[in-house]
Amino acid sequence: MWGGRFAEGPSAIMREINASIPFDKALWRQDIAASKAHVAMLGAQGIVAAEDAAAISAGLDRVAAEYEANGVPENWDLEDIHMTTESRLAELIGAAAGRLHTARSRNDQVATDFKLWVREACVQADAALGALQVALVTRAGEHADTIMPGFTHLQTAQPVTLGHHLMAYYEMVQRDRSRFVDAHARASQCPLGAAALAGTGFAIDRHATAAALGFAMPTANSLDSVSDRDFALDYLMAAAQCALHLSRLAEEMIIWASQPFGFVTLPDSLSTGSSIMPQKKNPDAAELVRGHAGRIIGCATALMVTMKGLPLAYSKDMQDDKPPVFEAASLLALSIAAMTGMAAETRFRTDRMRKAVELGYATATDLADWLVRAADIPFREAHHITGAAVKLAEQKGVALDALSLDDLRAIDARIDSRVFSVLSVEASVAARASYGGTAPAQVRLRVAEARLALGLGEG
């Protein structure tokens, strides 16, 4: 490949450290597509004879068919997917294959291939997250009235509905989808034709190749074209944020499945057993999703550190851009699939949720608010009165609404029978009917909106 510049071939060490074919072979579809677009443009511009352009295009189709059937061979002497393809093309069609690389460099070639791959990864992530949203919305609709504890500091705070809780993750995933859509949009400029770093003296048509590959336009600066990896970082940042959300959902499933909570029974298909303890049903899929978040964040960090000190234009460090993106994409796809299955198939133990919310004195805030509204008591004093009521209920081992009127009046004589209208958990959640609140009516409204947005109909 290096022609007459070098008297000796690379050492074994150089051969091994320089070869990227073990991982960049994943770009073969993009490399074939970009090469076909490039040679079609060369033919149209008269830079390559029509018969050679046709032979090259047909030869690339044959190479693609071989890759599809048998995989991409790994010859480290050829270094990467680009030279592997060009070498095989030469074996198939002869000297005309050497015209394919006219007016391009491996620098703009790999930038184009990689950007095409990342754009497709953004589309795939968005679609997978849409399926997760469908699962979340479906279950939220089933449980718009199911009451459970809402937590702060992992302590029972106020009653909420399970549907409201699940729709919180719908909103997180919606933001995740928007980040992948934005990353795809920012990657809409095509680097092909920037050549090594300065452009080319051939009369190429970069707009034609950009359009053929589905880009909106060519990149505007040749130096930036070959040195930019923002599109990969955009993808990794979106993936890292998404992984954080998936990890939070996974963590809740892990906690809820534990015996002290017992809020859920996870599907057998996403759980494992113990090699020594027959009674165990371990939430391993959720735990691995939680673990994968750390690895995906590490992938984003790795590429940021690689790129942080590179001068313009291309440096070989950038060969290390693909492994973290490929790893993150694989881990993210598995994590989304696992949490989609978990959301769809988990059995919610609503009886345990109801018992927990009642014994957690979750309507204490409702009592304090009632004292402010109905008895005209300053909130700080109402807070103190409510704390005494909670302490009494705790001593008696009953829920707040199970205290008698005499019990409550013994704490403060200004309390009357109207207080019982706010002490039940049903009354508590129904009262939170502000926009975005946990009231069943609000949950159903948001579920209906989400179903329409997802193309599911009103349900």
Side-chain angles (χ1 to χ4, degrees):
M1 174 172 45
W2 305 117
R5 173 64 178 84
F6 291 84
E8 298 179 6
S11 70
I13 293 173
M14 186 61 201
R15 176 176 173 273
E16 184 168 350
I17 197 172
N18 199 42
S20 59
I21 188 63
F23 55 83
D24 71 17
K25 64 183 181 181
L27 299 175
W28 73 261
R29 289 181 176 84
Q30 291 75 26
D31 196 61
I32 294 289
S35 291
K36 290 191 68 174
H38 183 65
V39 77
M41 178 275 297
L42 293 177
Q45 294 294 106
I47 298 170
V48 170
E51 59 270 22
D52 285 342
I56 291 170
S57 184
L60 288 168
D61 286 338
R62 290 175 63 187
V63 175
E66 291 178 358
Y67 290 169
E68 189 71 62
N70 305 313
V72 179
E74 290 189 22
N75 181 345
W76 288 19
D77 289 329
L78 295 173
E79 294 187 8
D80 56 31
I81 184 60
H82 320 300
M83 296 310 300
T84 297
T85 297
E86 187 173 324
S87 175
R88 180 56 181 152
L89 181 66
E91 292 173 352
L92 291 172
I93 70 169
R99 301 188 184 281
L100 172 60
H101 209 54
T102 305
R104 75 174 184 185
S105 161
R106 284 193 299 174
N107 294 354
D108 64 331
Q109 190 178 359
V110 69
T112 302
D113 294 354
F114 193 25
K115 188 175 279 192
L116 286 169
W117 192 97
V118 169
R119 279 167 60 86
E120 180 58 30
C122 289
V123 172
Q124 291 172 356
D126 180 51
L129 289 170
L132 174 56
Q133 285 186 309
V134 169
L136 290 168
V137 166
T138 300
R139 302 309 300 277
E142 294 170 3
H143 292 282
D145 295 284
T146 298
I147 296 174
M148 64 171 289
F151 299 97
T152 60
H153 309 278
L154 206 56
Q155 304 289 312
T156 299
Q158 292 178 283
V160 297
T161 53
L162 175 56
H164 190 57
H165 194 109
L166 294 172
M167 287 302 291
Y169 284 99
Y170 170 89
E171 297 295 337
M172 295 182 209
V173 174
Q174 186 66 18
R175 294 192 296 273
D176 292 329
R177 294 185 69 182
S178 73
R179 277 182 277 270
F180 285 112
V181 169
D182 289 347
H184 185 273
R186 277 193 295 275
S188 64
Q189 297 179 343
C190 181
L192 192 59
L197 75 162
T200 178
F202 290 95
I204 61 173
D205 184 350
R206 293 190 63 207
H207 287 83
T209 49
L213 293 170
F215 289 100
M217 64 186 72
T219 49
N221 183 284
S222 61
L223 287 167
D224 180 54
S225 301
V226 298
S227 63
D228 167 45
R229 291 300 183 271
D230 287 1
F231 61 89
L233 287 168
D234 278 350
Y235 174 83
L236 287 172
M237 293 303 172
Q241 183 68 70
C242 180
L244 292 180
H245 291 152
L246 296 173
S247 182
R248 294 182 73 179
L249 178 56
E251 171 69 1
E252 294 209 309
M253 290 295 187
I254 293 163
I255 293 172
W256 290 0
S258 66
Q259 282 78 11
F261 274 76
F263 285 4
V264 299
T265 300
L266 297 179
D268 289 351
S269 60
L270 293 168
S271 306
T272 66
S274 165
S275 64
I276 191 173
M277 295 169 284
Q279 83 281 10
K280 294 291 293 299
K281 182 177 180 180
N282 297 326
D284 282 8
E287 290 172 352
L288 287 166
V289 169
R290 189 174 58 184
H292 287 171
R295 292 175 63 186
I296 292 170
I297 294 166
C299 290
T301 302
L303 186 53
M304 283 192 290
V305 173
T306 295
M307 296 300 298
K308 72 173 182 63
L310 298 185
L312 295 178
Y314 180 84
S315 296
K316 196 68 170 185
D317 313 46
M318 293 166 67
Q319 183 166 285
D320 285 338
D321 57 357
K322 288 168 281 296
V325 174
F326 293 163
E327 180 182 3
S330 177
L331 293 172
L332 185 67
L334 274 174
S335 296
I336 296 171
M339 296 316 299
T340 300
M342 212 167 294
E345 299 171 26
T346 289
R347 181 168 67 86
F348 295 102
R349 299 183 61 185
T350 57
D351 56 331
R352 292 291 296 261
M353 292 180 175
R354 175 63 183 243
K355 183 177 181 181
V357 76
E358 289 178 343
L359 293 182
Y361 311 108
T363 57
T365 304
D366 299 272
L367 173 56
D369 289 346
W370 182 87
L371 290 168
V372 171
R373 288 195 309 270
D376 196 26
I377 297 173
F379 181 79
R380 287 301 174 199
E381 185 181 354
H383 189 284
H384 180 77
I385 294 167
T386 301
V390 169
K391 184 176 181 179
L392 178 60
E394 199 171 45
Q395 291 170 347
K396 288 177 171 285
V398 298
L400 273 176
D401 63 348
L403 292 175
S404 68
L405 182 59
D406 289 341
D407 289 332
L408 292 169
R409 288 181 61 82
I411 295 169
D412 193 286
R414 289 169 288 186
I415 299 175
D416 60 48
S417 60
R418 293 176 297 165
V419 74
F420 292 104
S421 66
V422 301
L423 288 184
S424 72
V425 291
E426 286 84 4
S428 178
V429 296
R432 265 68 187 182
S434 57
Y435 183 83
T438 192
Q442 278 293 318
V443 174
R444 290 191 187 91
L445 177 62
R446 187 66 190 115
V447 165
E449 292 172 348
R451 287 183 62 87
L452 288 174
L454 293 169
L456 299 175
E458 295 184 3

